[in-house]
Structures are given as structure tokens and as C-alpha cells.
Amino acid sequence: MPIERFQIQVSDEILEDLKYRLEHVRWPDQLEDSDWERGTDQGYLRSLVTYWRDQFDWRAREAELNRLSHFRCNVDGIDLHFVHERGKGPNPQPIILTHGWPDSFVRYEKIIPMLTDPERYGGNPEDSFDVIVPSVPGFGFSNGLKHVGVNNAYVAELWARLMTEHLGYPKFAAAGGDVGSGVTRYLAFNHPELLTGIHLTDIGIIRNLLTVQDKSALTEEELLYIKDTSKWMADEGGYMSIQSTKPQTLAYGLNDSPVGLAAWIIEKFHAWSDCKGDLRNSFSEDELLTNIMIYWVTNTVGSTANIYYENTHTLPPLGRIEVPAGIAIFPGDVALPPREWAERNLNITRWTTMPRGGHFTAMEDPAPLAEDIREFFRALRV
């Protein structure tokens, strides 16, 4: 399949079915004064669903998204969707940005123009990028996932082929967070010859650190990471446990109920962002619903959960990464990595601690992230 132009075109039937479901919600009870501590707060969710049903304009958002340059091509039997926006500077550097869960390619919607056209945002046009934002297989419009084994390492191989064989970039930059951080690290580990550098907003859950038996050689920061992350996984990691073990069972309910899907996703945006307890501090209703709609209209919540299963059961070990790495740490994120461990396992040439922002910072506050990416790759351009 050659590279083909793609436009988002959701059928009227899908939208009409969604409207019916939003008009016939069967709400559960919620204990008084429980707010968010037992899961998604019903008061907030009812308000969001009312807005979704009565005011949210998918056709308007669809038109806005279609202003981006969308494409599809087949790589290893998977029809990959990706955005490809050309840089406006004199020598744009190609960069592939990889999203995670429970977000989608729209994670990077705001940051794309800041990277392709930095001069428009007060930057230097020589820092411009050709920006490629694929949908991870099984997510969004890279749907139709049929076979097992699609883990971070496999996706990294697809990205290497997409960038070199299909788009013709012999060398490129890569960045990502969440699942995108894992994919980017495997890309750097397995194909260092292709990469100028990698930029990460997290290093995921460092499981081999959590399972160290002899802790006598660990630093104070590493011991604190083990304590804090173990507590976080016990308090907040239920989604990870079920998606890593029984994603198919979960998929039946979330795929059938738009409210159930919204609750599952919104809980994470509330917990992992720097919203200070109020989602409206970080995201508009339209932004949240656009991301949820990507899951709903493509029928992919089940296949997106599967990557947790694959990363738990089929992911090969990852060694030290020698490609230059830039790390941007945001205080509202989860499982903040200990710097000593990161420096032993990656060739870190830039470490930035941001004053604000969370897990979805490309959506929450994209300007500082775009600036950090531009500054990190400035010395690595070829």
C-alpha cells in the first residue's frame, strides 16, 4: 500500500448511535462525599456527558483535525495512520512523536505548529522540524489490529520502517511520553544509527528497580522512588493490572458504553495531569471529548488496552541507550524517575525540571515542552 492521503470522516450512523446512548445512560450510585478518591466523580462526569450530548460539535472538531496533513500506509500488514507536517524553516529536522494511553495522536495537536514553524511563536526558524505523529497500532485510525505481539519494541520497528523506507528520512529525531517513551527508547536501542537523539517526558515504570532484592547499593533517591511508586501502583495501578492481564474482558464494557469509556479515560486525565484537582484548569471539555471520541468512533478501546498485555508478556529486555537523550520532568506527572538511575541507563545530555505540567503536558502546556525539544535538538542537527 503506497502512502495515501487520509481524511477523518465519521459516519452519521455512528454519531446518531452515540447520541442515542448518551440519551439513555444508566447511572450507578455514588457514595456521598466520595468525590474522585473511588474513581471518576459522577458530578463532573454528568456535567461532561450533558455537554457531550447537547453542545459538543464533533463535525467542527473533525474539520479542525482535518486541517492537519493526514496519511495512511501499510507497514508489515498494519494500516498506519500518521500526521506529517512539513517544517517552514531553512533545514527542517524530521522528528517522530509517539503518544501513549489513554491519549492519541491529538496529544500533539497543539505542539505541531510550534515545532514546524517556531518563528511564528517567537523562536528561530532554523529550529524547525518536519513533524510526524503516527497513531500507535490499535489506536485511533491505525486500527484493524489482528495479531498478537504488538509491543513497544514491535512498534519501534514499524516506526523505523515508516521513517526510512516510506518517508525517506535516513536519520531523524524521536520523542514521546507514556507508551511513546517506551517506543522511543526501543527505537534508540535497536536503531541508534537512525537517530540524532531522543527526547522523553518520562521513563515509564522502572520495574527492574522496583524488584531489586539487594537494596544496599541504591541511592536515597532510588529508594524513595521504590517507596513512592510502589504506593502509587497499589493506589492507582488497577487499570494497569487489568489491561495487562484481561484486556479483552474490559473491552466489552468500555466498547459498549460511551459513558463507561469516558469515565475510564477521564479518571487518568484527572489523576495524571497538573490540574490541581479541577480538570478545567488543564483541559477544555472539547479537548477531553475529542480524545474520547477518537477511541469511540474507531472502536479501539480494546486494542489500545492490549499493548499493556503485550508489554507485560512479550517485551524483550532493554539495555543502556547510547543515543543522546533529553529528559523533561514535569512535577504533576507520576512515577518521576530518579536521575541517577536514568543516567546509568541513558546517555543523558539534557535534564530539565519544569516548573509546572503533568503527564499530558503537550496538551496542557505545550509551549515549554516545544521550547525544550527545540533547544535539545539544536546541537544534534545533521
Side-chain angles (χ1 to χ4, degrees), residues 24 28 34 52 99 215 273:
H24 297 82
S34 58
W52 194 2
H99 66 81
K215 297 182 173 57
S273 68

Side-chain angles (χ1 to χ4, degrees), residues 84-87 91-97 128-132 163 167-175 194-197 377 381-382:
H84 189 189
E85 290 290 334
R86 300 281 183 176
N91 185 31
Q93 179 176 193
I95 185 169
I96 186 167
L97 307 177
S128 71
F129 293 85
D130 285 354
V131 178
I132 298 89
M163 294 295 285
L167 297 179
Y169 294 117
K171 207 168 182 71
F172 54 92
L194 299 180
L195 293 175
T196 59
F377 284 108
R381 288 178 172 264
V382 293

